[in-house]
Amino acid sequence: MTWHERQYEKRDILGLASFGFFLLLIGVIWIITPNLHQKIIDFFNDFKRTEEVFPNVFLPAPEHLERHTEVYTALARFCFVFGLFQIVILVLRLFLREPPDRIAGTFSGMVFWLGASFVSNLLADRAVDWFGFVGWIIVLIGLALVVRSLLVLLFEVALRKG
């Protein structure tokens, strides 16, 4: 392996493209959602109540969950499009035969973002409450970590056998 090849391996060009798309998508969602800035401010200003989620553990929650449907919908759109973009990045990583940890990371990111899109839609439709949403996001973070770990492990086992 030449010096140039080792330098290329250190740089994650597709990761940089993914981050660029992340920022681009934030901008697009911001533009297509009327008055999103004020709606986000109103959402955070609505955290006036706390709820006991465990003995002596209180967490804040929005007082009027139903008033922020546009924020939840914008979040769901963002998560869905970014999850789809992770599929594109995953295909490119496989095509370019990138390292297993990058492939696994992209796959687990795809699982998280598409799952977060689904759960955000549930919140927008009021099919889950605030703490149900928070609980599902925690589940998705754990699921993404487990998926990533298992994929890296499977790649390592496959490399040892092959």
Side-chain angles (χ1 to χ4, degrees), residues 20-35:
F21 187 79
F22 179 88
L23 295 175
L24 179 103
L25 186 56
I26 288 173
V28 168
I29 296 294
W30 204 272
I31 291 168
I32 67 169
T33 307
N35 205 17

Side-chain angles (χ1 to χ4, degrees), residues 6-72:
R6 283 191 304 259
Q7 284 299 104
Y8 178 77
E9 257 188 27
K10 290 180 185 174
R11 286 187 245 135
D12 185 6
I13 303 301
L14 292 175
L16 187 59
S18 186
F19 180 65
F21 187 79
F22 179 88
L23 295 175
L24 179 103
L25 186 56
I26 288 173
V28 168
I29 296 294
W30 204 272
I31 291 168
I32 67 169
T33 307
N35 205 17
L36 183 58
H37 176 260
Q38 187 59 49
K39 290 173 183 174
I40 291 172
I41 290 171
D42 293 344
F43 170 71
F44 283 108
N45 284 337
D46 198 32
F47 277 79
K48 296 176 181 169
R49 72 179 177 94
T50 58
E51 208 169 293
E52 190 172 22
V53 294
F54 196 74
N56 297 321
V57 176
F58 294 86
L59 293 178
E63 194 167 70
H64 305 96
L65 195 64
E66 69 283 351
R67 291 187 187 168
H68 309 292
T69 304
E70 296 92 350
V71 174
Y72 311 141

Side-chain angles (χ1 to χ4, degrees), residues 55-153:
N56 297 321
V57 176
F58 294 86
L59 293 178
E63 194 167 70
H64 305 96
L65 195 64
E66 69 283 351
R67 291 187 187 168
H68 309 292
T69 304
E70 296 92 350
V71 174
Y72 311 141
T73 302
L75 177 64
R77 287 178 181 155
F78 174 85
C79 292
F80 181 70
V81 174
F82 197 67
L84 292 180
F85 186 72
Q86 292 304 298
I87 295 171
V88 172
I89 295 293
L90 178 63
V91 169
L92 290 171
R93 287 197 190 283
L94 291 168
F95 178 75
L96 296 172
R97 297 185 178 170
E98 291 215 345
D101 62 319
R102 289 184 183 169
I103 292 169
T106 302
F107 187 83
S108 68
M110 177 192 71
V111 167
F112 173 78
W113 290 110
L114 292 176
S117 170
F118 177 74
V119 174
S120 298
N121 269 320
L122 291 177
L123 183 63
D125 293 340
R126 289 190 258 162
V128 296
D129 66 359
W130 177 251
F131 290 108
F133 170 76
V134 171
W136 275 111
I137 293 298
I138 292 168
V139 167
L140 288 169
I141 292 168
L143 180 63
L145 291 170
V146 168
V147 165
R148 181 182 179 130
S149 300
L150 289 176
L151 283 176
V152 169
L153 180 65

